[in-house]
Amino acid sequence: MSKIKALITALVLGTSSIAMADTSVTFSGRADAQWRTVPPDIRDHRTYPAYEAPVSQAPVTTFARGTWISLAEPMNLGRGRGSMIELDTRARLNQIRLQSASGAAFIGTVTVQYVNGASQVVTVNQWIDSQNPMTQFALNRTAQVDTIMIHGSRNRRSGRIQVFGYASSTRSTPPIYHPPVYQPIVYQPVGTVLATNMSFVNTDGRKFLAVGAEKGAFSTLRLQGNSGSVFIEQVLVEFTNGQSQLMSNIARTLLMGQSVDLKLDGAGRNGIKRIVVYNNDNGVGSYSAGEFTATLF
């Protein structure tokens, strides 16, 4: 019995060895891989405000408009000929200002030449001095100005003026610092014009100016020369309350642009019925051919 078990065991072990010796194993395989960097997933469980995407904004643009600019340095007016200013600015102007720099200068006319060939002539007929420090006027069009010609004269004090323009155009410019230009505050009272371009020619040496209580009360009468020369001897003012005021011995010759202010009685509380301006109080002789204007303030 033991011999049979030994024989069976030997047969089993032999068969296993032969199987192991004859068995062949074949391995085959293919590997394709693509590598990429993956950031680590870090989670933050804290609470933050909601994220708002930035809003795209257009670049800020600076505009140059509504500005008084100097068009020339202070200048003397030539005698008997015009003084010309050639502009090198591209700004479009709609106003011109003439301002006293020193002394006194008489401005007759100003000719504005535009780049498109058009021109504009402005009659000023004013003295520019410490009593009347500036005058300004509007242009017919908002356009680029080429040249400005000023016709006038200076007096013995060698009056000098400075010219400014009001730039009304809107154009993109970088920020530029402009030093401030001194602009004196000038009080310009609004008056009531009684008559303009009056003359004593073909009169008896008197001009009668009807006023009336409906025009209000006034404190000052201004007589201003418009052309040529006019001689004022005296002035009679008749008030609506029956009183009168005779301003005698005025004896003033007014040239073009010159004026005289006469203070009225009542300090602006009395209405005026009539004003009589005398060129010659004796009613004889020749009379001034110059023209003048009367204004109440």
Side-chain angles (χ1 to χ4, degrees), residues 2-295:
S2 58
K3 292 182 179 181
I4 296 173
K5 290 183 179 178
L7 178 62
I8 295 172
T9 302
L11 293 173
V12 171
L13 291 176
T15 304
S16 298
S17 299
I18 296 170
M20 291 181 62
D22 296 338
T23 302
S24 62
V25 179
T26 302
F27 293 95
S28 65
R30 180 179 178 181
D32 292 329
Q34 294 181 352
W35 297 90
R36 61 187 179 93
T37 303
V38 179
D41 184 9
I42 301 176
R43 298 188 179 184
D44 190 347
H45 298 283
R46 290 174 293 179
T47 302
Y48 293 94
Y51 173 77
E52 296 182 359
V55 179
S56 177
Q57 296 181 348
V60 178
T61 304
T62 302
F63 295 96
R65 60 179 174 181
T67 305
W68 284 102
I69 58 176
S70 177
L71 302 181
E73 296 296 325
M75 54 189 290
N76 289 319
L77 299 181
R79 293 182 178 273
R81 56 184 178 83
S83 297
M84 177 179 291
I85 302 174
E86 295 183 354
L87 274 63
D88 58 358
T89 175
R90 293 185 178 180
R92 296 181 180 271
L93 309 176
N94 63 7
Q95 293 184 68
I96 298 295
R97 172 182 293 172
L98 307 177
Q99 181 170 312
S100 175
S102 64
F106 179 77
I107 309 298
T109 61
V110 178
T111 302
V112 180
Q113 188 75 34
Y114 300 97
V115 294
N116 60 4
S119 63
Q120 176 183 353
V121 179
V122 179
T123 301
V124 180
N125 286 341
Q126 290 187 28
W127 283 94
I128 305 298
D129 52 22
S130 58
Q131 300 298 320
N132 184 36
M134 71 177 183
T135 185
Q136 64 188 51
F137 55 87
L139 300 182
N140 289 340
R141 64 193 70 198
T142 302
Q144 187 175 345
V145 178
D146 186 22
T147 60
I148 298 175
M149 176 72 75
I150 304 175
H151 298 272
S153 64
R154 59 181 180 178
N155 67 355
R156 290 174 296 179
R157 291 178 286 171
S158 300
R160 306 174 69 204
I161 66 170
Q162 190 168 6
V163 183
F164 298 89
Y166 190 81
S168 61
S169 64
T170 302
R171 57 189 179 90
S172 177
T173 59
I176 300 177
Y177 171 74
H178 294 281
V181 178
Y182 172 68
Q183 301 289 346
I185 300 176
V186 180
Y187 172 67
Q188 298 288 349
V190 178
T192 299
V193 178
L194 299 179
T196 185
N197 297 329
M198 294 182 294
S199 173
F200 290 105
V201 176
N202 299 325
T203 69
D204 61 352
R206 298 178 296 175
K207 292 294 293 185
F208 296 87
L209 307 176
V211 183
E214 68 278 2
K215 285 187 171 61
F218 304 93
S219 61
T220 303
L221 169 65
R222 174 176 295 174
L223 302 177
Q224 179 173 335
N226 288 348
S227 64
S229 64
V230 58
F231 178 75
I232 306 297
E233 176 66 28
Q234 62 183 19
V235 174
L236 173 64
V237 180
E238 299 174 353
F239 297 99
T240 54
N241 61 4
Q243 298 178 353
S244 62
Q245 177 185 359
L246 177 63
M247 290 170 276
S248 59
N249 299 323
I250 297 176
R252 178 78 176 271
T253 299
L254 300 179
L255 301 177
M256 182 171 56
Q258 294 181 337
S259 63
V260 57
D261 289 346
L262 305 174
K263 297 299 181 182
L264 304 179
D265 291 343
R269 294 186 297 270
N270 295 334
I272 301 174
K273 177 182 179 182
R274 186 176 70 168
I275 296 176
V276 184
V277 183
Y278 293 82
N279 179 239
N280 191 325
D281 61 351
N282 58 20
V284 297
S286 59
Y287 306 115
S288 301
E291 297 179 339
F292 68 101
T293 294
T295 307

